[in-house]
Amino acid sequence: MSAITGIYHINKEPISLDIVNNVMGSLKEFPCDDSQFWLKGNVFLGCHAQWITPESINEQQPFYDYEKQLVITSDAIIDNRSELFDILQIDHVDRKTMTDNQLILLAYIKWGEDTPKFLIGDFAFMIWDERKQELFGARDFSGSRTLYYYYSDQKFAFCSINKPLFQLPFIEHKLREEWMADFLSIPWNFESIDTTSTVFENINQLPPSHSISLIKGELKLTRYNTLLEGEKLKLNSNEEYEEALKEVFERAVTSRLRTHRKVGAHLSGGLDSGSVVGIAANSLKRENKQLHTFSYIPAKDFVDWTPKNRLADERPLIKATVDHVGNIQDNYLDFEGKTPLTDIDDWLEVLEMPYKFFENTFWLKGIFEEAHSQNIGVLLNGQRGNWTISWGPVLDYQAGLLRKMQLLRLYNEINLYSKNIGVSKSRIFSIVRRKIFSMSSLKKQPSQILQMINPEFEHKLNSFEKLRDYGIDLTGNSKDSVYDIKKKQFQDLFYWNITGTYGSKLSLRYSLWGRDPTNDLRVARFCLSVPEEQFVNGGLSRSLIRRSMKNILPDEVRLNERSRGIQGADGLHRMMPVWGKFIEELENMCRDSLVTEYLNIKIIKQAIESLKYKPKPSYVYEMNFRILMRSLIFYRFVKKYN
């Protein structure tokens, strides 16, 4: 992770060295291998560099091309280097040492503003063209790296995080009410439908899949990539689809192993992380390197309350993967004493915004901390796998067959699925039938979770109507099929922002790079081209990845249809020793005028009363607990940043 920053005085006013030192100095709280800047008149670019790849060691960042009079600062790891080397006709002798920063600049010299269309990887960069007096930059297709900016008719400034921007005297520190209204109104795990806005009034962010240009004082954002399901791939056999997925996925994994440090990976008992780990460990073995895996496990005194088909402790499946794959140093972490409550303030410091995904925060950050202590440079994960490699909703697919009256195929799929999961065919068919006829036509009012926002504040910002106009479900009773939801996952960019935000900022804090091969652009494009019958086949959900991972994953993981992991099931249990303090803080919050204009205190008090005296560990995923945790996170943020 390299934190990049810069200032451009559109009004030609020279930038003082004091301002440069203040901005660069605010990044010193983060570890770095080198910190440099380029300053000329009214333009400054800086980089707080962490050397992750072999090529990045001792690189010049920012980099200035004297011949072309271009200067670039970047936070990037480019994964299609070989392809770009060939297209750009880079001498073979230069390929091993060329940095990703220089490679992006060469791509810009050839393609100009089309450059991001040709880049695959995680990146955010800015380029100053001294001859044209123009600024250009981009953020990768899924927003894996953050890029914030301030813009007026006089000045422009940018940075990977918000904090350095507040060192500038012309940027006022003020919260944005529209963003906060979205945050409190949206029931799901994204913050705002406006992908350019942030919680700070005067700071915006470059959305995923967008470039930014500043020409003659005019700012322009351009979406350069849209992932759509186009023409379907037509191969001759199931085996050819399996090999095709395996080929593109192996390329995605192996291209993300490029580091001069150790390689780590999140590992659960499931398919996505297991597939990443299986390919990575085998590839690293050829380099005489070992893969280090990090797995969250429940607290020692946790009594499992979850259903039989759910696994709060996934160690048996994790160990099966470790033993079968080999070349793995496995780590099992229970994070004793940590709860969703303990790290709220730290997460607010990291994210610079309130957040909703509290259930796994204590172990997500904990794994980064442990990986950092073991000198991990790249930490793999499989977060986007449900929408790419392991797509395949079996019951919804079968409902589609029934709707199309493809009865013979439906019978065969139900029959095989029945055997796989040990449930009668009649029961499966009744579920499939209900999926077709269960959609209600009644209009429903926003559910209780939406009422976390103060009705007067909601009315002032008109947030419910805005969200409904945008197609956001406010009831929990959406008529969208899983296929509609999948399409939105790739087209509506607000779904992408939060993973990029916490991944980028945790990387900066712990000087290691979280990387997701299931989110590779080549993988996503391939999976969107695969016919649906490949994803559900032979009575198997997520069939294509299961078949493709034969001999790579153990069958007890690869073919497991009867149980799934449920992470964070011990979250409320962990909070029991401090439950009284938790309730006390919430009650104090309800009396604090700092947030009563934003929060629906009536609903929050009802939630407090429902959980005050006898909370059960199983309440961890219930609405009332979610309301209390999210409102407390919001409260602490407002206190911190107001």
Side-chain angles (χ1 to χ4, degrees):
M1 166 74 186
S2 293
I4 61 174
T5 188
I7 303 170
Y8 170 37
H9 283 176
I10 302 168
N11 61 4
K12 306 297 184 181
E13 177 189 339
I15 299 172
S16 72
L17 190 58
D18 286 343
I19 285 181
V20 171
N21 288 334
N22 286 341
V23 171
M24 296 299 293
S26 68
L27 294 170
K28 287 183 178 179
E29 65 182 273
F30 304 106
C32 80
D33 296 295
D34 195 15
S35 183
Q36 303 177 36
F37 64 86
W38 181 91
L39 172 63
K40 190 172 183 180
N42 62 324
V43 181
F44 143 68
L45 299 182
C47 182
H48 187 82
Q50 298 173 346
W51 298 335
I52 302 296
T53 65
E55 302 82 16
S56 67
I57 299 173
N58 295 318
E59 75 172 318
Q60 183 70 40
Q61 270 258 54
F63 175 77
Y64 182 64
D65 185 314
Y66 289 92
E67 180 185 349
K68 302 293 184 180
Q69 290 185 276
L70 298 169
V71 58
I72 180 174
T73 185
S74 71
D75 169 27
I77 296 183
I78 302 302
D79 295 321
N80 61 330
R81 284 167 59 90
S82 296
E83 177 187 354
L84 292 172
F85 286 152
D86 291 340
I87 296 173
L88 298 171
Q89 299 181 329
I90 307 298
D91 287 343
H92 284 272
V93 70
D94 296 326
R95 296 186 179 191
K96 282 190 176 181
T97 57
M98 179 167 286
T99 67
D100 291 327
N101 197 42
Q102 292 172 296
L103 186 57
I104 294 170
L105 193 60
L106 289 173
Y108 178 76
I109 292 170
K110 180 175 179 62
W111 292 303
E113 293 192 4
D114 286 335
T115 295
K117 297 178 182 178
F118 296 89
L119 304 178
I120 293 174
D122 304 341
F123 59 82
F125 65 86
M126 294 295 287
I127 296 171
W128 171 248
D129 188 323
E130 196 171 10
R131 288 176 180 167
K132 295 181 179 179
Q133 295 287 290
E134 295 175 0
L135 198 64
F136 175 78
R139 189 177 175 199
D140 67 75
F141 89 100
S142 66
S144 299
R145 317 312 291 173
T146 48
L147 191 61
Y148 301 99
Y149 67 89
Y150 165 87
Y151 169 67
S152 72
D153 60 353
Q154 300 291 310
K155 293 178 172 65
F156 176 83
F158 69 89
C159 193
S160 300
I161 58 175
N162 293 294
K163 187 176 180 179
L165 297 177
F166 290 119
Q167 299 297 315
L168 302 175
F170 49 84
I171 299 182
E172 183 184 3
H173 200 296
K174 183 180 178 183
L175 298 182
R176 179 179 271 142
E177 288 192 338
E178 292 84 358
W179 192 97
M180 293 194 293
D182 276 4
F183 178 89
L184 295 172
S185 300
I186 296 169
W188 319 117
N189 273 351
F190 60 93
E191 291 68 38
S192 173
I193 58 172
D194 184 352
T195 54
T196 64
S197 74
T198 73
V199 69
F200 299 112
E201 182 69 45
N202 297 295
I203 296 177
N204 289 327
Q205 62 179 323
L206 183 63
S209 291
H210 276 69
S211 64
I212 184 170
S213 58
L214 192 56
I215 302 172
K216 295 180 179 179
E218 294 296 322
L219 188 74
K220 181 179 72 172
L221 303 187
T222 303
R223 183 166 183 171
Y224 65 82
N225 179 74
T226 302
L227 280 170
L228 301 172
E229 292 194 38
E231 185 177 349
K232 292 299 182 182
L233 181 67
K234 295 180 180 179
L235 300 179
N236 294 322
S237 66
N238 287 348
E239 290 73 21
E240 288 189 11
Y241 283 104
E242 294 158 21
E243 285 303 313
L245 172 61
K246 191 175 177 182
E247 179 183 350
V248 71
F249 189 48
E250 283 185 346
R251 186 163 70 246
V253 174
T254 55
S255 65
R256 284 167 170 76
L257 303 179
R258 188 163 54 97
T259 180
H260 63 93
R261 301 193 218 154
K262 299 175 183 177
V263 178
H266 292 263
L267 179 59
S268 70
L271 273 174
D272 298 329
S273 63
S275 298
V276 171
V277 162
I279 293 172
N282 287 324
S283 179
L284 288 170
K285 189 175 183 180
R286 294 190 286 270
E287 303 176 28
N288 294 316
K289 292 180 74 172
Q290 195 172 38
L291 180 66
H292 299 255
T293 61
F294 301 89
S295 304
Y296 154 74
I297 57 175
K300 293 182 178 67
D301 61 347
F302 174 64
V303 178
D304 194 350
W305 55 265
T306 60
K308 290 183 179 180
N309 64 341
R310 290 290 192 170
L311 297 174
D313 188 346
E314 298 181 73
R315 267 177 290 188
L317 292 177
I318 294 170
K319 288 181 176 178
T321 295
V322 169
D323 293 342
H324 182 88
V325 172
N327 194 40
I328 292 174
Q329 177 61 58
D330 47 338
N331 297 267
Y332 302 92
L333 307 168
D334 66 5
F335 304 107
E336 184 177 357
K338 293 290 187 179
T339 77
L341 197 60
T342 50
D343 289 354
I344 289 178
D345 292 335
D346 211 21
W347 269 99
L348 293 175
E349 184 72 24
V350 169
L351 292 175
E352 307 176 290
M353 58 187 275
Y355 61 93
K356 296 180 177 179
F357 58 104
F358 63 85
E359 294 89 350
N360 63 348
T361 47
F362 66 93
W363 61 261
L364 184 63
K365 187 169 72 71
I367 285 177
F368 267 81
E369 290 173 349
E370 181 62 27
H372 172 71
S373 73
Q374 295 189 29
N375 195 34
I376 301 297
V378 166
L379 184 64
L380 303 171
N381 67 73
Q383 287 180 319
R384 294 289 293 183
N386 285 341
W387 304 108
T388 56
I389 62 168
S390 64
W391 174 250
V394 61
L395 295 173
D396 297 271
Y397 177 73
Q398 291 171 3
L401 294 177
L402 178 58
R403 194 177 289 111
K404 297 171 187 174
M405 296 303 289
Q406 296 181 13
L407 301 183
L408 180 58
R409 183 172 180 84
L410 174 64
Y411 174 81
N412 289 333
E413 286 293 328
I414 288 179
N415 183 47
L416 292 169
Y417 185 55
S418 170
K419 293 177 182 178
N420 290 337
I421 66 173
V423 173
S424 69
K425 293 191 291 290
S426 61
R427 184 178 174 188
I428 294 171
F429 182 73
S430 68
I431 297 172
V432 169
R433 187 175 57 185
R434 285 201 303 272
K435 276 189 170 289
I436 295 178
F437 301 110
S438 63
M439 296 300 183
S440 171
S441 62
L442 295 176
K443 292 184 178 180
K444 300 187 178 181
Q445 294 301 312
S447 60
Q448 187 181 34
I449 193 169
L450 297 173
Q451 296 172 26
M452 187 169 72
I453 186 171
N454 184 317
E456 293 181 5
F457 183 53
E458 187 281 322
H459 181 72
K460 173 184 173 183
L461 277 300
N462 204 18
S463 55
F464 288 169
E465 183 176 347
K466 180 179 70 172
L467 295 170
R468 282 194 290 265
D469 288 345
Y470 207 87
I472 302 300
D473 171 39
L474 299 178
T475 67
N477 298 284
S478 172
K479 293 183 180 181
D480 287 345
S481 70
V482 292
Y483 301 101
D484 295 327
I485 295 170
K486 177 187 177 184
K487 186 181 296 184
K488 289 181 178 180
Q489 287 288 325
F490 289 103
Q491 294 180 16
D492 293 336
L493 297 177
F494 47 76
Y495 290 110
W496 302 76
N497 258 334
I498 189 59
T499 52
T501 299
Y502 77 68
S504 187
K505 293 181 179 181
L506 285 176
S507 290
L508 178 59
R509 170 177 279 205
Y510 297 108
S511 187
L512 62 91
W513 200 295
R515 309 223 60 204
D516 183 2
T518 68
N519 192 43
D520 183 278
L521 184 57
R522 297 162 294 193
V523 170
R525 285 172 173 162
F526 172 82
C527 291
L528 287 172
S529 76
V530 172
E532 282 297 324
E533 58 267 22
Q534 285 297 319
F535 291 114
V536 180
N537 193 300
L540 284 174
S541 66
R542 306 192 285 171
S543 173
L544 185 55
I545 189 63
R546 294 185 194 275
R547 288 153 31 214
S548 299
M549 290 298 106
K550 188 175 182 180
N551 300 322
I552 294 178
L553 288 178
D555 284 353
E556 60 199 280
V557 174
R558 183 176 70 90
L559 301 177
N560 175 29
E561 290 264 35
R562 302 196 178 199
S563 62
R564 295 189 68 177
I566 180 168
Q567 298 175 338
D570 63 339
L572 194 149
H573 162 80
R574 288 171 176 264
M575 290 173 57
M576 293 307 295
V578 294
W579 192 258
K581 291 183 179 179
F582 172 57
I583 295 297
E584 182 181 357
E585 185 176 4
L586 288 166
E587 290 175 335
N588 289 335
M589 176 190 75
C590 291
R591 293 188 290 268
D592 194 332
S593 60
L594 191 63
V595 291
T596 51
E597 67 174 297
Y598 303 126
L599 295 174
N600 189 332
I601 301 303
K602 178 181 177 181
I603 291 296
I604 292 170
K605 285 183 175 179
Q606 290 175 1
I608 291 172
E609 288 304 312
S610 71
L611 295 175
K612 187 172 184 177
Y613 299 110
K614 293 184 178 179
K616 297 179 180 178
S618 59
Y619 293 170
V620 65
Y621 301 119
E622 290 193 1
M623 186 181 298
N624 282 328
F625 182 60
R626 187 169 295 169
I627 288 174
L628 296 182
M629 283 298 298
R630 288 181 175 180
S631 60
L632 181 62
I633 290 166
F634 179 82
Y635 174 51
R636 288 205 192 171
F637 173 82
V638 173
K639 284 206 301 183
K640 179 179 178 66
Y641 284 99
N642 192 13

